[in-house]
Amino acid sequence: MLLTISTTYSPATDLGYLLYKHPERIQSFKLPYGQAHVFYPEARAERCTAALLLDVDTVGLTRRPQGRSGENFPLAPYVSDRPYVASSFLSVAIAKVFSSALSGKSKERPELAETAIPLKAKLSILPCQGGEELLRRLFEPLGYKITVEGHILDARFSDWGESRYFTVTLQNTCRLSELLTHLYVLIPVLDDEKHYWVDEAEIEKLLKHGKNWLAAHPEQESIVSRYLKHLRLLTDQALAELCETDPQQTDETIQGQEEAKVEARSNLNEIRLQTVTDVLKKCGAKRVLDLGCGDGKLLHKLLREQQFEEIVGMDVSHHALKTAQESLHYKQLPDRQKERLRLFQGSLNYRDKRLAGYDAAAVIEVIEHFDLPRLAAFERVLFEFARPQTIVLTTPNIEYNVKFENLQAGNLRHKDHRFEWTRDEFHSWTNRISERFGYAVVFHPIGSTTEDVGAPTQMAVFTREGRKDEIT
Ligand code: SAH
């Protein structure tokens, strides 16, 4: 199995500094499953190519504990494509042999490591479960020009048809660390097999190597799912963390503060949270969810009300949850209070069993942080699966923005807001979902209401219909 990386950056031999491998030497590395050799088939100032040759120990492989295929087919260890194709073995080799380059470090050429240079990678044989189309869907959004040469299963028997093996060339002008990271993550994704057990540690690796590009990749979900061997729980966890690491979505708490600045003069946040607390009290709820709880201001109010016997705060952001825990002085709370309150991480875009069975849920200033296409998933998560008796949901009224002196015309209240709705838009959305999921809805404006543009915050209170029938 051969991976070559070429550049025409001048002087091209600087590639040696980026890879920490001298162009004049052949270097070999011992790996748990064989050997990796690095050498340069060409090293000129105009063009330089480094090669990573993977020599998998075929006999050693047969002695490894076998996975599923081994159980079904006793000869599998002996008729395996693993020694000859790019697979997770190659990713492990990249991480071991090019570790500094993978993390974007170069002692001798630090600026070059930070620079986008013309790069071309060639994979001699890349297995791809999903064919050329998948190859393109994965690499093209990352800016690669890709050439793909398919191989038929057996040249002597052309009617056996196409194999899942391709010779692939990828060209891009990017940092070497980006190229290596993309290969590191996507090779096992394309192969859709892993030679080792996949657990939570894999999420960490995926997020470490994918944090700068995966959140915006259109194939994000299938990449994550394949990378984590289609394990649902791990995949959901990784996707939830990815939206947290989405550069546009990081550090919501600080962003919340910015929003607070825009709304500050009217003391709107306090009025909003008090109104929500009052609604939750009035509906008689005892067990309540604060979904997208942020830094915990609503939780604080709810804790003061003895009516609420169980209070849960959930947020996708670890950082927000940590801030909430600190601002609530969770550790110092008396045991009785502690027992009433639970905080956990989770995403409202994924079905979550922990949310079922509550009397009420508050979703305060959260939905405008979702990409619109994800709203449909949220609707089902909350209204179909969690399905509390009462749902209190607030979102900004965009019409009111003209009244904020410190908000530039046309801007949303916050840079992470993906949308803000007019009253009409909010009403038609709420009407649609209440009809679809069997809830009755009542609207309340929050904050000082004006005749022309309404109030700054719009609140909808949903009540599940058919309660009496369900009880009897
Ligand atoms: N409800 C709080 C915080 C609002 S800021 C308040 O009114 O003060 C929006 C919050 O939604 C942030 O804390 C953010 O981390 C959280 N959030 C964004 N997307 C989310 C998702 N998919 N699942 C759960 N929480 C999410």
Side-chain angles (χ1 to χ4, degrees), residues 249 252 292-294 315-317 346-349 364-366 369-370:
Q249 214 171 325
E252 298 282 353
C293 62
D315 204 286
V316 77
S317 157
S347 167
L348 286 167
N349 300 125
I364 309 307
E365 304 297 282
V366 174
H369 293 264
F370 300 158

Side-chain angles (χ1 to χ4, degrees), residues 396-407:
N397 162 20
I398 194 174
E399 294 165 82
Y400 191 90
N401 286 0
V402 291
K403 300 276 181 195
F404 290 117
E405 286 166 17
N406 47 350
L407 186 65

